[in-house]
């Protein structure tokens, strides 16, 4: 069965501490997810920061506004460098998402995401990926890019940060 990867990166004019504090808080997931996804965290009493072994459950509407449960586990965390979430229950046959932060010389941060996924339904999933899944994932990350830019500002190359 085929699997696919989506790679995105974004330069952010903020410190690693600021970006890490934002992306490592489960409460901020809704802020960077498009409204049309109907994203709601259903886990109760989530801590402010994620940790390895943490399970987060959501309701999400990835297709035709049909609500479905998505459960992910935070499998790895290296403070201020990266974390990995993996789907345990949800729309994909397999989902592995690496979030990486790399400090830039000017004080900004390069945020990278590597999503490795396998659609459900074997050959039908491969067709669905070509027709709409891949594009939908790209649009979700495009939205996130804009939401992060609104939160932290536009990155301007060669601008020395004074933080």
């Amino acid at each position: 069965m085929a699997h696919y990867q989506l790679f995105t990166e974004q330069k952010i004019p903020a410190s690693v501490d600021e970006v890490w504090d934002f992306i490592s808080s489960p409460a901020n997931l809704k802020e960077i997810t498009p409204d049309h996804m109907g994203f709601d965290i259903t886990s109760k009493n989530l801590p402010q920061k994620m940790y390895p072994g943490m399970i987060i459950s959501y309701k999400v509407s990835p297709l035709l506004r049909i609500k479905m449960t998505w459960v992910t586990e935070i499998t790895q965390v290296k403070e201020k460098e990266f974390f990995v979430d993996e789907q345990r229950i949800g729309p994909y046959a397999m989902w592995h998402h690496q979030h990486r932060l790399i400090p830039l010389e000017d004080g900004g941060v390069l945020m990278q995401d590597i999503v490795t996924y396998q659609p459900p339904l074997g050959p039908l999933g491969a067709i669905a990926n070509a027709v709409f899944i891949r594009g939908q994932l790209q649009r979700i990350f495009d939205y996130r890019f804009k939401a992060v830019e609104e939160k932290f500002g536009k990155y301007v190359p060669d601008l020395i940060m004074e933080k």
Side-chain angles (χ1 to χ4, degrees):
M1 292 209 262
H3 71 279
Y4 306 92
Q5 272 195 334
L6 177 70
F7 177 82
T8 66
E9 59 183 23
Q10 179 174 12
K11 291 181 179 178
I12 305 168
S15 70
V16 169
D17 288 344
E18 290 170 307
V19 177
W20 181 259
D21 285 347
F22 182 75
I23 70 164
S24 67
S25 174
N28 293 327
L29 286 169
K30 188 170 180 76
E31 191 175 330
I32 60 173
T33 303
D35 290 339
H36 75 271
M37 294 292 294
F39 182 89
D40 289 306
I41 296 175
T42 56
S43 296
K44 303 295 182 214
N45 303 316
L46 286 176
Q48 295 239 335
K49 296 289 170 213
M50 54 186 60
Y51 58 85
M54 180 180 194
I55 301 289
I56 307 172
S57 61
Y58 326 87
K59 288 290 185 186
V60 66
S61 303
L63 183 62
L64 303 173
R65 300 203 185 275
I66 299 168
K67 283 278 190 190
M68 58 182 5
T69 299
W70 192 341
V71 178
T72 58
E73 178 181 357
I74 306 301
T75 57
Q76 300 175 54
V77 177
K78 186 165 184 188
E79 185 82 13
K80 300 179 186 175
E81 289 186 34
F82 72 89
F83 69 90
V84 175
D85 66 83
E86 297 182 20
Q87 175 190 284
R88 294 297 175 242
I89 298 169
Y92 293 91
M94 188 271 289
W95 175 273
H96 181 275
H97 182 184
Q98 299 176 53
H99 310 251
R100 299 195 164 279
L101 297 182
I102 301 164
L104 297 172
E105 288 182 14
D106 65 5
V109 175
L110 176 65
M111 181 169 67
Q112 296 179 327
D113 288 276
I114 304 168
V115 177
T116 305
Y117 66 98
Q118 181 179 27
L121 306 174
L124 291 177
I127 294 167
N129 187 66
V131 172
F132 68 89
I133 293 173
R134 176 72 178 199
Q136 182 181 32
L137 281 176
Q138 185 63 58
R139 285 187 296 280
I140 290 167
F141 278 87
D142 291 346
Y143 177 92
R144 193 184 81 168
F145 186 100
K146 290 176 188 166
V148 168
E149 199 171 68
E150 284 179 21
K151 170 126 185 101
F152 294 104
K154 278 191 178 207
Y155 179 83
V156 180
D158 302 317
L159 177 66
I160 301 299
M161 304 200 38
E162 296 186 24
K163 291 189 178 188

